[in-house]
Amino acid sequence: MRIEVLASESLGVRSMAVEVEACGTKILIDPGAALGPKRYGLPPDEIEIARLAELRELIRKRLRTAEIVFITHYHFDHYSPDWAGDLQGKLLFIKDPVRNINRNQARRAGEFIERLIRAGVRWEVAEGRRIELLGGEIVVSGPLWHGPEARFGCVVSVAVREGGTTFLHSSDVSGPVLEEAVDFILTQRPDILFVDGPSTYLGPRFGLKALEVARANLLRILREVSPRNLILDHHLLRDLYWRRWAEPLFEAAEGRGVQVVSGAEFSGKPETLLEAERKRRKLRK
């Protein structure tokens, strides 16, 4: 199995785009990337804008060669509606556009489906699916809440299995902070877990209790599953000091042979937290 994190906060943009090659099949999960419109009251600068263009080009290039594509929900850092035409001829699985979805994402989903229809692209609902591969399978969760509050709607997690190796892409489960997301991870027992982590940069706006629960859940996963790699990124990597919050995870991982890394580190690329560093760059100018 080959796994490459194409774009994420540790690579300078908001994204969880991942390419997985398993059983001779190229799979792309969440082909999208975006920038935080405001951080520290500041808009993205030219460095972030250039990085976004670079990584969107990479994602789109890999999208064109992918055979199976998953869109876990309808936030623009997880899909690109303008690329609907690039999905022709692919096996496309999308978050249910009608059920377990909030109003904003339902509107986006409807507009996206109109684009898919105009482009002649067929799609299937992702929730609860099990797709057989030659020598493996893909398992999709049911609807999972996007963090501690229902107002953001639901996402799906995707597990890819080849032989005795399982990779799991959590999507935006914000920790995981809720038991349903933890249960799916424990059931799939991934060897490589790519999880979005909680929004520590929001502090009380995310919920201090929720931050504690998310860390406790990750510690439980380390104890009960001991994945070979725990990849922490996305929401958590909007915090310059994410390693400080994750220190108990590093300590627990050390005794279990688990590597805790960012998406950039996992894929052998330089770690660049451009959004989290936005204020620093502004002050240096």
Side-chain angles (χ1 to χ4, degrees), residues 142-209:
L144 303 172
W145 290 112
H146 186 303
E149 297 181 14
R151 64 192 177 100
F152 292 116
C154 288
V155 305
V156 293
S157 294
V158 180
V160 181
R161 185 169 292 112
E162 179 184 48
T165 300
T166 300
F167 166 73
L168 194 148
H169 179 289
S170 74
S171 187
D172 285 10
V173 294
S174 297
V177 74
L178 295 179
E179 196 65 26
E180 292 85 351
V182 177
D183 287 345
F184 183 72
I185 293 168
L186 294 178
T187 299
Q188 297 304 314
R189 302 192 65 80
D191 303 277
I192 303 146
L193 172 59
F194 182 30
V195 67
D196 62 312
S199 300
T200 55
Y201 75 107
L202 294 177
R205 284 192 291 154
F206 182 80
L208 298 181
K209 179 62 176 177

Side-chain angles (χ1 to χ4, degrees), residues 20 61 86 118 154 156 164 192 266:
V20 183
K61 179 180 178 182
D86 294 327
R118 288 197 299 270
C154 288
V156 293
I192 303 146
F266 177 81

Side-chain angles (χ1 to χ4, degrees), residues 25 36 42-43 51 63 75 89 92 100-101 107 115 143-144 151 160 162 173 189 196 199 207 217 252 256 262 275:
T25 302
L42 300 170
R51 178 60 61 88
L63 178 60
H75 285 163
L92 173 63
N100 298 298
I101 192 168
R107 176 182 54 79
R115 288 175 181 257
L144 303 172
R151 64 192 177 100
V160 181
E162 179 184 48
V173 294
R189 302 192 65 80
D196 62 312
S199 300
N217 285 336
R256 292 176 169 81
S262 67
E275 179 180 324

Side-chain angles (χ1 to χ4, degrees), residues 215-280:
R215 186 162 50 199
N217 285 336
L218 286 167
L219 286 168
R220 179 185 172 194
I221 290 164
L222 282 174
R223 288 194 304 269
E224 297 189 23
V225 178
S226 293
R228 186 167 71 243
N229 299 101
L230 172 58
I231 308 168
L232 295 173
D233 215 302
H234 204 37
H235 304 117
L236 181 59
L237 274 286
R238 296 174 195 171
D239 183 350
L240 279 174
Y241 306 105
W242 70 273
R243 284 183 171 85
R244 190 177 299 169
W245 179 88
E247 189 172 344
L249 302 177
F250 285 105
E251 292 173 355
E254 191 173 349
R256 292 176 169 81
V258 178
Q259 276 196 324
V260 180
V261 293
S262 67
E265 289 176 310
F266 177 81
S267 294
K269 302 172 184 178
E271 187 175 285
T272 313
L273 309 184
L274 292 182
E275 179 180 324
E277 294 169 347
R278 194 179 291 178
K279 183 189 289 185
R280 288 184 179 180

Side-chain angles (χ1 to χ4, degrees), residues 14 35-49 274-282 285:
R14 292 187 172 189
L35 299 178
K38 289 287 183 182
R39 186 68 193 277
Y40 314 112
L42 300 170
D45 61 15
E46 65 278 3
I47 296 174
E48 288 182 74
I49 292 168
L274 292 182
E275 179 180 324
E277 294 169 347
R278 194 179 291 178
K279 183 189 289 185
R280 288 184 179 180
R281 290 196 306 278
K282 178 72 171 179
K285 289 182 178 179

Side-chain angles (χ1 to χ4, degrees), residues 26-94:
K26 288 187 177 180
I27 303 155
L28 192 53
I29 305 172
D30 282 356
L35 299 178
K38 289 287 183 182
R39 186 68 193 277
Y40 314 112
L42 300 170
D45 61 15
E46 65 278 3
I47 296 174
E48 288 182 74
I49 292 168
R51 178 60 61 88
L52 178 64
E54 173 192 346
L55 293 183
R56 278 177 59 86
E57 183 179 352
L58 172 64
I59 296 168
R60 195 170 192 183
K61 179 180 178 182
R62 300 298 179 87
L63 178 60
R64 287 168 177 153
T65 61
E67 298 161 80
I68 303 176
V69 178
F70 290 90
I71 294 173
T72 66
H73 63 294
Y74 303 97
H75 285 163
F76 290 137
D77 51 344
H78 291 262
Y79 84 116
S80 298
D82 293 345
W83 296 349
D86 294 327
L87 295 164
Q88 285 183 340
K90 303 182 188 307
L91 194 55
L92 173 63
F93 295 92
I94 63 174

